[in-house]
Amino acid sequence: MKSLIKRSFSDFFFEYETPRQVLVKDRRIAVVCRIIQLGVLSYIIGWVFVYEKGYQTVDTAISSVFTKMKGVSFTNISGKERIWDVADYVFPEQGDSSFVVMTNYISTEGQKQGKCPELPDAKNKCTSDADCDEGKYKRTGNGQMTGKCDTNTSTCEIYSWCPVEDDSKVPNPPILWTAENYTLFIKNSITFREFNVVRSNLVESVNQSYINTCLYHSQTDPLCPIFRLGDIVERSGFNFSEIACKGGAIGVLIDWDCNLDLNIRHCKPKYEFYGLYGTGKNDKEEKPSLGYNFRYAKYYVEDKVEKRTLMKVYGVRIDIIVHGRAGKFDIIPTLTAIGSGVGIFGVATVVCDLLLLYLLPKKDFYKSMKFKHTEVQEENPTLPPSEKEREIQKE
Amino acid sequence: MKSLIKRSFSDFFFEYETPRQVLVKDRRIAVVCRIIQLGVLSYIIGWVFVYEKGYQTVDTAISSVFTKMKGVSFTNISGKERIWDVADYVFPEQGDSSFVVMTNYISTEGQKQGKCPELPDAKNKCTSDADCDEGKYKRTGNGQMTGKCDTNTSTCEIYSWCPVEDDSKVPNPPILWTAENYTLFIKNSITFREFNVVRSNLVESVNQSYINTCLYHSQTDPLCPIFRLGDIVERSGFNFSEIACKGGAIGVLIDWDCNLDLNIRHCKPKYEFYGLYGTGKNDKEEKPSLGYNFRYAKYYVEDKVEKRTLMKVYGVRIDIIVHGRAGKFDIIPTLTAIGSGVGIFGVATVVCDLLLLYLLPKKDFYKSMKFKHTEVQEENPTLPPSEKEREIQKE
Amino acid sequence: MKSLIKRSFSDFFFEYETPRQVLVKDRRIAVVCRIIQLGVLSYIIGWVFVYEKGYQTVDTAISSVFTKMKGVSFTNISGKERIWDVADYVFPEQGDSSFVVMTNYISTEGQKQGKCPELPDAKNKCTSDADCDEGKYKRTGNGQMTGKCDTNTSTCEIYSWCPVEDDSKVPNPPILWTAENYTLFIKNSITFREFNVVRSNLVESVNQSYINTCLYHSQTDPLCPIFRLGDIVERSGFNFSEIACKGGAIGVLIDWDCNLDLNIRHCKPKYEFYGLYGTGKNDKEEKPSLGYNFRYAKYYVEDKVEKRTLMKVYGVRIDIIVHGRAGKFDIIPTLTAIGSGVGIFGVATVVCDLLLLYLLPKKDFYKSMKFKHTEVQEENPTLPPSEKEREIQKE
C-alpha cells in the first residue's frame, strides 16, 4: 500500500504530460490558420483588453448632490409690483437633487371651508338635485357633493375650500418668464468605495474665483458648476417658453467615467441634459399628460377663521442624477479575460481542424496522421508486441 | 542571423500544429462521453444562451419619477365639518417619488413658548424639585427642565411650546379613513444610456382618454398608471384600517426588464407592492417601532405673539423605487460565454479520460495507446534511429 | 446516402477521441510544471472561489430609509428665551433619507415688498444713478435695480423684500450649538429581489427595549439604530463646532454585504460616516464653497400687508445612502469560473511546453517526441505503407 502511494506520488510529480502534436507542412492551411489565430489574438488584445478595458475591475459610485438657485424676477400684475426671490420660487428649499423652479401659477386667495358650486365646466354639470349624489365625490371634483344642484352655474354644490380654484385658463405668457436667467449651482460629491477614492465636481481647476464668474458652456467651460436655467432647458431639447407655461421636467445627468490607472486629475464629470416625459426634439406625436404642476397652500388665520391661499404651481422640475463608474487594473478580471481568450483560441483550432479533415484534397492522409486508432486487442501471443502494433497501424 | 529569423518566420507561418488524437472504438465509453459532451453543449446553449441570455450585454436604467395624488375627505369632528384635499394631506407637495398621505393626526393648537408641566405619563414622573435637573432634558421629553416639579401632575416643569402635545391616545378609527379612495398617478421616465433608449411608463397603449378613466388592476389593467390607495395597501399585504391608524410604509416597485433585441413595444413596466418594516402577510412576530409618523408645525402670529399649531401626522408613506434592466446582443459577452463553454468542454474531456484510464477493464491498453513514453536517450550509436524508437516504444 | 448518414452517426456516437499525450520522464521539468499547475489550481480555488466567492451570483439591494430626529435646544437671545424642538429645526419634516438639522441661522423679520438700498458691501457699490441699470439685477444681488443710487449707503436701490437680509456676520458660536446632543433614529428596509430576501436594520438582536435605551457605538453597540448627532459628525472627520457655524454635509452609509449561503442572521448592516465636500481629516488645501446653507421664508399677513420672515439656515445636512450586496451559490457563475480556470490551466501548459522545447538541453529530442511531421505523400507505390511511414518518421 505504502509503495503504491509512493509510486503514484512519484508518477505524479516526476512525469510531465504534454499533448502530442501533428505538424502539417501544408502552406495554404497553415497560413489560413495562422491568420485565424492572429485574428482571435488581436480581438482579445485589441478589443477586450485595450478598448473595453477587460483587465479592470469596475466600481459604481455612491454620491450626494446639493443645489442652490440664484436670481430674481420682477412682476407687475394688475398694477401690483412684486419681486420674487429664491425663497419664493424654489420647492423644496433645502437644495435637494430634485426640486422645482416655479415659472407660472394660478393663485386662489382667501379660501375658507364652506359650500359652493363646482366649476362651470363640462365634467360636473347637473340639471337637478338628483344628478348630485350626496356624500360622493367625482374623480375630477374638488370636494364632496352636498346633494344640491346649484341653478346659477348648473353644477353640483360641494363642501370644499371656497371659492373653488379655476384652473381653466393658464396664464400665457407665464408670469415668471424671466426665470430663464436664474442660475443653478450644483455641488456633487462621489465616492468609489472599492478604490477608496472621493471626488467632487469642484475639480482642481475649479476654485472660488472661477465659481464667482463662470457660466457652464459645453465647449468653453465644461467644468463650471453654475448653469443658466434657460441653457439647461435649451440643451435638453425643450423650448423655454413652452415649458414655462405648463411646466416640464428635465433630467441633469452628471456622468463620471474614470480610469483610475491614470492620474486622479483625469477623473472629471460630464454634464448632460435630458427632457423627460416627451422631449421637444424628437417627438412629433401628441403625448398624454404633458406638463408639470402641483398644488400647495399657505394657511393663515383671519378674523379667527382659518383661511388659505391655494397655489397651483407650474414650473421646471429638475432631477439631478449621478452616474458614476470607475475602473482600475485588477488581477482577477485580467486572468478571467485571458482564460476566456484561451477558450476562444480553442474554437479557432476546432475550425482549422475541420478545414484540415473535411475540406482539403489530402484530408484522408491527414486523418490518418491525426488519429491513432485502437481496436479490441487480438489474442495472438505469437506475434511480438512491435509486430502487433504495426498491424494495428495499418488500419 | 537573417536566415535564422527567416527560417523561424517560415516555420511559424507555413507549419500548422494540430493535436494528435487517439480514436477509441469502445462503444460503451464512446456513448457515455458523447452524452456528457452533449449535456455540456445543451447546458451552454440552453441555459447560458437562451434562458439567461448570456449573449447580451446588460445596462441598468437611470430614472425619474413624478407623482400626483387626487381625492378628498370629509370629516365631522365635534360638529366641525371640514373637507381635506390634496394640498392638505400630501407631504411634500411637489410630487416626489417619496411622499406621505396623511390618514390620521393629533393636533395641538395654539402652542406658544412658555413653561408648563410635562405629560402625566410614566416616563417623566417626579415627587420633588430634586428629581428635575434644571437645564437638562430627558430623551423622551418635550422640553428643557426648569428644575421645578409640578405638584398637580407630578411631572417636571419644562420650557416648551405649551401646552405640551398629548399623543397617548391615537384616534381610532383614523380621522381620514376615507383616504382609501384616493388615487395616485405615477409618471416614470427611464433611460438606458448604453443603448440610447428612452421609455416612459405611459407606453403606446396608454393615451389621454385611457388615463382619464382607468384604474390599475394586475390582470385587466396592468399598464394603467392610476392606482387606488386602498388597492396599493392591500396588495402590499397590509390591512388598510391597521395601517391608517398608526401609519405605515409601502414600497411601490416599477420593474423594467427589457429585451432590446425585440421591438421596443415589448419594453413595459411591471408594478409590485411591498409592505416595508414588517409586512402584514408573513410576519407573526412582534416587530419594534411599527407605524409611521412625523411632526410638523404651522406658525402664525396672534396678538403679536408667535404661535404654532403642532400636528403629529400618521400616514401611509409611499416610496416609489424604479428597477430597470435592459439587455441587447453584443459580440463580447457572446464570445466570453463561448470561451467559458469551451473551457467546460475541456472538463468533460478530463472526466471521460479518467473513466478511460482508471475504470475500464482495458485501461492498461488504453494507457499505452494514449501515452507515448520518453526516456533519457541511450548512448548507443550503433542502433539506427528507427531501432532506437522501436525499443523505446516497447516500454 | 442513407448508409453514409448511418455511418457518420455510428462514427460519431461509437468512437471516442482523446488527445495523445507524450509522457516526459524528466524530473526537473516535471516538478517545475507540477508546481505551476498547482499554483494555478490554488489560485483558482483559493482566490476566485473562497476569497472572491466566484461561485456566487450577486444581487444589489432595493432599499427604503425613514429617519426621526429627537432632542430640544434652549436659547436665550437678547433676553428672549426660546425652546427649539423637532418641528422647528428639521427640514423637511417627513423623515426622508436626506434632511437638514438647523444649527445656526440669520433671521430677517418683517420683510415686505418695496424699494430699499442694497447691502453696503463691495459688490454693489455705486457713485451715481448711472452705475445702476434700471430693470437689471446683479448676480450677487438681492433684487432688481430701480435705477437710483442711494447716497447714504452708496449702493444701488432695488425692488426687493425689504429690509434686505444682512448675512455678512454669521453668528459665532452657532445659535443652536446644543444640536450636538440630538439623536437620530434610522429605519432601513432592504430587499434582494433575486433571492426573495427582505431585511431591516432592526435585526434580530434589536428589540423595542434595546431601542429605547441604546446609543450607537462602533465597538459596543454597532447595531443600535440611534445615533447622537455629535458622534456622527466626529466620526465623519468634521469638528462639530466648525460645521455647526457655517453648515456642512455628512454622508451616512448603511453597508450591507450578505453571504446568503449562511444563516440570514449573519446579514447585518455596517454604518460608516463620511464628510462630504471637503473632509476635515485629510484635506489641508482651501476648498471652494465650503459650508451648507439655504433660505426659506415664513409668510404671514399683518395689517392686511403680506409680510415674511426670511431665514438663512445653516445646518448639518445628512444624506443616508444604502449600499446593499448579497451573494448566493449559483451553478452558472460556478461553471463560468471553472471554465475560465480551465482556460488558464491551458496557459500553464503553454508555458511548460515553451520550457520543454526551447530551454532544456534535450529540447531537440523532446521536439521529435512531441511533433509528428507530415510531408506531401511521395508517389512511390513500390514501398509498402508501413515502410513509407517509417521513412516519414525519419525526418
Side-chain angles (χ1 to χ4, degrees), chain B residues 61 63-65 188-190 252-256 320-324:
Chain B
S63 95
S64 167
V65 171
N188 168 224
S189 164
I190 59 159
V252 179
L253 176 72
I254 307 180
D255 190 28
W256 296 83
I320 298 174
I321 306 158
V322 180
H323 187 250

Side-chain angles (χ1 to χ4, degrees), chain B residues 66-263:
Chain B
F66 158 52
T67 58
K68 201 165 199 182
M69 289 292 303
K70 256 191 160 83
V72 297
S73 273
F74 178 80
T75 60
N76 192 331
I77 304 170
S78 324
K80 219 167 120 187
E81 291 177 334
R82 197 205 145 111
I83 213 83
W84 299 80
D85 65 11
V86 174
D88 297 328
Y89 61 67
V90 171
F91 305 86
E93 320 95 354
Q94 304 94 245
D96 286 339
S97 60
S98 182
F99 60 94
V100 185
V101 176
M102 177 164 69
T103 54
N104 205 5
Y105 66 90
I106 293 171
S107 177
T108 313
E109 298 185 21
Q111 282 191 329
K112 64 181 197 269
Q113 292 278 342
K115 298 182 202 176
C116 45
E118 265 282 21
L119 290 174
D121 57 28
K123 299 179 211 155
N124 298 298
K125 281 207 167 314
C126 67
T127 39
S128 70
D129 286 358
D131 296 327
C132 305
D133 290 319
E134 180 175 356
K136 292 269 188 324
Y137 72 89
K138 289 216 161 87
R139 188 148 135 170
T140 49
N142 288 300
Q144 188 169 270
M145 294 188 270
T146 59
K148 276 177 63 187
C149 179
D150 184 296
T151 39
N152 295 333
T153 57
S154 298
T155 53
C156 288
E157 187 190 55
I158 48 170
Y159 278 112
S160 178
W161 287 95
C162 296
V164 168
E165 173 194 78
D166 182 2
D167 60 348
S168 49
K169 288 205 207 74
V170 182
N172 199 345
I175 298 172
L176 297 172
W177 58 272
T178 51
E180 232 180 330
N181 291 319
Y182 297 165
T183 54
L184 165 66
F185 171 46
I186 302 176
K187 254 194 341 192
N188 168 224
S189 164
I190 59 159
T191 305
F192 294 107
R193 291 184 65 240
E194 221 178 278
F195 310 126
N196 213 18
V197 162
V198 178
R199 280 297 263 174
S200 145
N201 69 327
L202 308 181
V203 292
E204 286 79 10
S205 54
V206 176
N207 53 28
Q208 190 63 54
S209 55
Y210 182 60
I211 291 176
N212 286 342
T213 53
C214 78
L215 203 64
Y216 174 86
H217 188 279
S218 54
Q219 267 95 45
T220 58
D221 291 281
L223 294 171
C224 177
I226 314 250
F227 305 79
R228 186 175 160 272
L229 191 63
D231 293 347
I232 290 178
V233 172
E234 297 297 320
R235 285 178 209 281
S236 74
F238 278 131
N239 182 292
F240 192 85
S241 39
E242 278 170 27
I243 205 185
C245 194
K246 287 207 163 179
I250 294 186
V252 179
L253 176 72
I254 307 180
D255 190 28
W256 296 83
D257 195 355
C258 295
N259 181 354
L260 296 178
D261 292 325
L262 307 174
N263 189 295

